[in-house]
């Protein structure tokens, strides 16, 4: 049976969270392409069905509105992907997904790490709001339309 978790965002939106299944991949890829300038490949989501990384979806009124991908092992954890459908952004969905990921990881890891494009100010603001601190930069880590850009490495003590 699929476990579903009900949460309410700070804007009052009711979310149902459940783990990714193979039937969701096409819908998730549509959201991935609409939210990210450089989307993940489908195979990265397929890996979540069999690997140590977990992908949890957020649905509102049975519509996919966001997801979070995270992994833990060896005392550390990583936030690997986080996206919210453009029409549903700034309603607290990412914050809810992150809080859920933190609850899932707490007790299994001491630190949660992530990388974010230095130009992605709204994501950096979100992570700062959640208590992440900046650890440093990875030079030319991400591709852009006309070159490369740095990643900001951030961490949260769990
Ligand atoms: C970054 C992203 C996940 C945020 O999702 P969201 O559901 O809109 O975020 P929330 O509504 O939960 O916002 C929580 C906090 O994040 C910050 N934030 C979110 N959107 C912001 C924006 N447009 N401008 C400034 N700060 C923003 C704010 O601190 C906000 O708190 P506040 O509303 O009290 O000011 C979403 O914009 C997204 O999917 N972007 C494209 C994919 C991406 O960049 N993913 C992260 C990769 S590392």
């Amino acid at each position: 049976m699929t476990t579903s978790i009900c949460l309410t965002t700070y804007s009052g939106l009711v979310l149902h969270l459940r783990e990714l299944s193979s039937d969701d991949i096409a819908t998730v890829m549509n959201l991935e392409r609409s939210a990210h300038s450089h989307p993940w490949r489908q195979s990265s989501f397929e890996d979540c069905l069999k690997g140590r990384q977990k992908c949890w979806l957020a649905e509102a009124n049975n519509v996919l509105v966001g997801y979070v991908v995270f992994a833990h092992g060896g005392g550390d954890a990583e936030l690997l992907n986080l996206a919210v459908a453009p029409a549903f952004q700034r309603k607290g969905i990412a914050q809810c997904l992150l809080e859920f990921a933190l609850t899932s990881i707490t007790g299994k890891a001491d630190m949660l790490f992530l990388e974010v494009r230095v130009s992605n100010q709204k994501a950096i603001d979100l992570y700062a709001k959640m208590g992440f601190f900046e650890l440093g930069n990875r030079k030319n880590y991400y591709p852009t339309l006309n070159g490369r850009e740095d990643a900001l490495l951030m961490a949260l003590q769990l």
Side-chain angles (χ1 to χ4, degrees), residues 10 35-36 81-85 88-96 114-117 120-123 125-127 129:
Y10 63 65
H36 284 288
N81 198 342
L82 174 67
V84 172
F88 286 87
Q89 291 181 3
R90 213 67 198 266
K91 297 178 191 299
I93 295 170
Q95 198 174 310
C96 257
L114 64 84
E115 279 122 13
V116 55
R117 289 174 185 268
N120 194 349
Q121 195 56 50
K122 56 186 178 180
D125 286 352
L126 163 71
Y127 299 136
K129 183 180 179 186

Side-chain angles (χ1 to χ4, degrees), residues 58 136 150 153:
D150 294 354
L153 178 63

Side-chain angles (χ1 to χ4, degrees), residues 75-140:
D76 288 332
E78 256 187 298
L79 185 74
L80 298 166
N81 198 342
L82 174 67
V84 172
F88 286 87
Q89 291 181 3
R90 213 67 198 266
K91 297 178 191 299
I93 295 170
Q95 198 174 310
C96 257
L97 282 164
L98 264 178
E99 283 164 358
F100 169 78
L102 294 179
T103 305
S104 306
I105 294 164
T106 298
K108 298 169 185 150
D110 299 324
M111 296 283 279
L112 174 60
F113 295 94
L114 64 84
E115 279 122 13
V116 55
R117 289 174 185 268
V118 290
S119 63
N120 194 349
Q121 195 56 50
K122 56 186 178 180
I124 294 169
D125 286 352
L126 163 71
Y127 299 136
K129 183 180 179 186
M130 299 295 294
F132 283 81
F133 58 91
E134 298 183 8
L135 276 178
N137 281 36
R138 293 197 201 282
K139 276 275 167 226
N140 299 322

